[in-house]
Amino acid sequence: MKLTRRGYGVLGVVVLAEALALTYGARALNAIAAPAVVVLLASAVQLWRTPAPTAERDRVPAGFPGDTREVTVDVDGGGVAEIDETVPEGLDAEDARAEASLPTTFAYSLTCVERGRHKLGPLTVRVRDMLGLVERTTPAGSTARVLVYPPVYRVGGREAILRHVLERSEVERQEFDSIREYAPGDPLRDVHWKSTAKSPDEIYVTEFADNRVEDDDVTIAAVGDAGSIDEMASAAASVAVMALEAGLAVELRLPDAHVRLGRGDGHRQRLLGALAQTDTDFTSPFETYTLEDDVLADADVVVRSDADGVTLAFGADERDFEAVTASRENPLSARGVGS
């Protein structure tokens, strides 16, 4: 508990009045000082008797970089308060500060910025008495975990990649879904010539609704050098989401995490959650060799990242991730990818 600026002003009046009274014997000045002292004491007692604020926050759904979440916190207590949220690096907030009479509901907009597991909170609540002379600062409420997934990009040449993984001559094709721009790796037999003829500057290909391969599975292994982990996580997430959408069961191996085979939205969230938190910062060449040997053994798809970029290896076939990505400027949104 401490005085506010206004409180210090009142205290200054008391000290000045007492000093003048002692110097000049003006007893009338005591009539100014005494009420001011009473007011300060009353304010301190009022604030002391006010219960400490508490806060209850809603869960914040996971998201991708650029996603926005509405955060709501119920703050209980009494008095007039300044509420300030603790926002870590990797997240950005608008209007994460407010002044209100307690109890109140505090709400603001939070934007996901960087991949990772971020700790949001606790709130800092500064409660003042009714006259604004005394204040008390209290951390209120628990913290919340906010997962920011790596960006997920649409991978071009999806059918060719699945053929490498499944070792099939051809992946079963199903009904027509849409027309999209050509991406490196797309087979020429998928070119939609009618749409391409209308726009000579662009090549369009046919996208099929689904390529279901329900009885198959794929193991994705991912390793990366320190400083390139974000890129590795994004590439692994893009391949994993593509495989799940094709109906494959997916296993993910990382030096610091292992997600066993599974399908469905819940499994998708587990994969993305592991890639949101991974940090394969090796500390020695021996440890690097040992971990990579365990992680990469018998993997169907190997994702590697270093200062030069990210590569995807399907057996003997190795591709640059930039080359097989349909659009790095427009990553997929969270359309069913998990929250």
Side-chain angles (χ1 to χ4, degrees):
M1 188 183 300
K2 66 178 184 179
L3 294 175
T4 62
R5 290 184 178 179
R6 185 181 299 176
Y8 278 115
V10 173
L11 181 61
V13 170
V14 172
V15 172
L16 179 61
E18 287 298 319
L20 292 174
L22 291 173
T23 302
Y24 301 105
R27 293 185 179 179
L29 292 173
N30 289 328
I32 299 174
V37 170
V38 171
V39 168
L40 284 174
L41 289 175
S43 295
V45 170
Q46 178 200 337
L47 191 58
W48 176 73
R49 296 182 63 180
T50 300
T54 59
E56 227 176 280
R57 61 172 73 243
D58 294 339
R59 172 182 170 273
V60 181
F64 294 87
D67 285 354
T68 300
R69 299 287 184 259
E70 291 301 316
V71 179
T72 302
V73 189
D74 293 325
V75 186
D76 202 1
V80 179
E82 290 182 7
I83 305 169
D84 195 1
E85 178 71 282
T86 304
V87 181
E89 292 185 10
L91 301 174
D92 192 22
E94 293 182 10
D95 302 321
R97 179 176 298 177
E99 183 171 346
S101 297
L102 301 183
T104 189
T105 297
F106 173 55
Y108 64 93
S109 180
L110 184 75
T111 302
C112 301
V113 178
E114 297 178 359
R115 177 191 71 91
R117 175 177 176 169
H118 308 288
K119 186 177 77 171
L120 185 66
L123 294 178
T124 299
V125 183
R126 287 178 289 275
V127 180
R128 300 191 302 272
D129 69 290
M130 293 180 63
L131 297 177
L133 303 179
V134 184
E135 67 179 10
R136 178 178 60 199
T137 302
T138 308
S142 60
T143 58
R145 181 189 72 169
V146 182
L147 271 183
V148 180
Y149 298 141
V152 174
Y153 301 95
R154 182 170 295 283
V155 178
R158 174 173 178 259
E159 184 178 341
I161 291 172
L162 290 175
R163 275 205 304 272
H164 280 290
V165 173
L166 302 175
E167 297 180 352
R168 292 185 179 182
S169 60
E170 186 173 343
V171 176
E172 181 183 356
R173 300 156 67 84
Q174 296 188 14
E175 75 233 24
F176 167 82
D177 181 39
S178 63
I179 303 295
R180 63 170 173 81
E181 291 183 8
Y182 173 85
D186 287 334
L188 291 178
R189 64 192 175 92
D190 284 348
V191 172
H192 195 272
W193 297 110
K194 186 176 181 180
S195 298
T196 301
K198 294 179 180 179
S199 181
D201 295 333
E202 298 289 346
I203 299 176
Y204 294 92
V205 295
T206 302
E207 183 88 349
F208 292 89
D210 221 342
N211 289 330
R212 290 287 164 184
V213 282
E214 298 288 353
D215 296 330
D216 288 288
D217 56 66
V218 59
T219 297
I220 301 171
V223 294
D225 293 344
S228 67
I229 307 305
D230 287 343
E231 292 77 9
M232 176 271 283
S234 180
S238 300
V239 176
V241 169
M242 176 200 69
L244 286 172
E245 290 180 344
L248 291 164
V250 177
E251 176 186 1
L252 175 65
R253 297 180 194 163
L254 302 165
D256 55 357
H258 180 204
V259 183
R260 299 187 182 278
L261 279 172
R263 288 185 173 91
D265 289 340
H267 189 64
R268 190 191 314 254
Q269 292 179 25
R270 286 190 289 273
L271 293 170
L272 291 171
L275 289 166
Q277 301 175 73
T278 187
D279 183 8
T280 56
D281 186 359
F282 300 123
T283 57
S284 70
F286 176 76
E287 183 180 1
T288 300
Y289 174 80
T290 303
L291 284 171
E292 286 197 5
D293 189 48
D294 292 339
V295 170
L296 305 183
D298 302 323
D300 298 302
V301 182
V302 174
V303 181
R304 290 180 181 271
S305 67
D306 55 28
D308 296 326
V310 184
T311 57
L312 307 178
F314 312 89
D317 182 18
E318 185 171 292
R319 302 186 180 198
D320 182 78
F321 181 61
E322 287 281 348
V324 300
T325 303
S327 175
R328 295 304 303 274
E329 288 72 34
N330 298 298
L332 300 181
S333 67
R335 50 173 184 82
V337 172
S339 61

